[in-house]
Amino acid sequence: QEQPVESGGGLVQAGGSLRLSCEFSGRTSNIYGWFRQAPGKEREFVSCTNRNGATSSYADSVKGRFTISRDNANNTVYLEMNHLKPDDTAVYYCASTRLYDRVCFQAIGEYDYWGRGTQVTVSS
């Protein structure tokens, strides 16, 4: 129905940059999140924002390096990743919900629509 689609993953050198995209084809969502899961680890929150740009949030591990942004006209959310580290290696997932709020959510259970993930590998 409206499963989002991530793209932009790949292999980069440590210190490099990568931009992930998440396209939503269904009805407009209001809150968007990025999560990641590394081998042997549980899925963790990376970043979130809401559609009107009233708020954004980042995990401590990526603050100052990652930036979330939106292109509402094209129903696309981006995650710009700079100064990448090997520890950033993971499958990255985007998610959304139509629930309206002035804040965005860090909890997995708050999101209704999930992409299949895109692999990001950072080599040293």
Side-chain angles (χ1 to χ4, degrees):
Q1 296 180 17
E2 58 178 285
Q3 183 179 40
V5 179
E6 304 98 336
S7 62
L11 174 65
V12 297
Q13 297 277 357
S17 299
L18 204 62
R19 188 178 76 163
L20 305 182
S21 300
C22 183
E23 184 175 354
F24 297 84
S25 60
R27 291 185 294 171
T28 301
S29 294
N30 291 311
I31 301 173
Y32 308 93
W34 284 97
F35 297 80
R36 68 186 183 186
Q37 187 165 18
K41 299 181 179 180
E42 62 186 20
R43 185 166 47 178
E44 65 178 0
F45 168 78
V46 175
S47 183
C48 66
T49 190
N50 56 12
R51 187 175 184 272
N52 63 11
T55 190
S56 61
S57 185
Y58 299 90
D60 288 342
S61 60
V62 306
K63 284 181 179 177
R65 299 188 298 119
F66 291 10
T67 303
I68 191 169
S69 61
R70 312 162 312 284
D71 182 351
N72 290 337
N74 292 302
N75 297 315
T76 303
V77 178
Y78 303 97
L79 185 68
E80 179 72 31
M81 304 183 294
N82 299 309
H83 306 290
L84 283 162
K85 306 173 182 179
D87 285 348
D88 295 318
T89 296
V91 176
Y92 283 71
Y93 301 89
C94 64
S96 71
T97 177
R98 294 191 179 122
L99 177 67
Y100 175 83
D101 210 321
R102 299 185 183 276
V103 301
C104 61
F105 306 132
Q106 299 186 18
I108 292 172
E110 298 284 1
Y111 293 91
D112 301 308
Y113 309 102
W114 290 84
R116 295 173 64 90
T118 185
Q119 176 71 49
V120 172
T121 302
V122 184
S123 62
S124 60

